[in-house]
Amino acid sequence: MDVSVTSRALGDRDVIDVAGEIDVYTAPALRQRLAALLDEGRADLVVDLSRVTFMDSTGLGVLVGALKRVRGLDGRLVLVL
């Protein structure tokens, strides 16, 4: 199954909507979206995982990596399950 990763600005916060399966093949899409926002200095992020049906350790690694970058920017990363 594929993954859908979209983002939208909500004031100073960005919401990243994720749907589908996040695994070794699809995690790069999530990593790229998060990296693009963080590269722009957007560090107040909400990742909505409520429509994710499966996530392996690769997906968890992407989220941990994003959290480390967010902390470096004094931002906030919130997960919605």
Side-chain angles (χ1 to χ4, degrees):
M1 178 169 193
D2 291 325
V3 68
S4 167
V5 181
T6 59
S7 61
R8 54 192 159 90
L10 191 63
D12 290 338
R13 178 173 294 149
D14 288 279
V15 178
I16 300 94
D17 296 301
V18 187
E21 296 183 359
I22 303 174
D23 58 21
V24 69
Y25 302 106
T26 60
L30 178 58
R31 181 182 295 114
Q32 290 169 354
R33 181 63 55 118
L34 290 167
L37 291 168
L38 292 166
D39 288 346
E40 294 173 10
R42 308 282 298 181
D44 190 2
L45 305 176
V46 175
V47 181
D48 185 349
L49 301 169
S50 63
R51 297 185 324 167
V52 170
T53 57
F54 173 83
M55 180 184 295
D56 70 4
S57 61
T58 308
L60 293 174
V62 168
L63 294 174
V64 170
L67 177 61
K68 289 180 180 180
R69 286 196 61 194
V70 164
R71 285 183 175 169
L73 296 170
D74 291 325
R76 187 170 75 156
L77 177 68
V78 176
L79 302 180
V80 176
L81 303 175

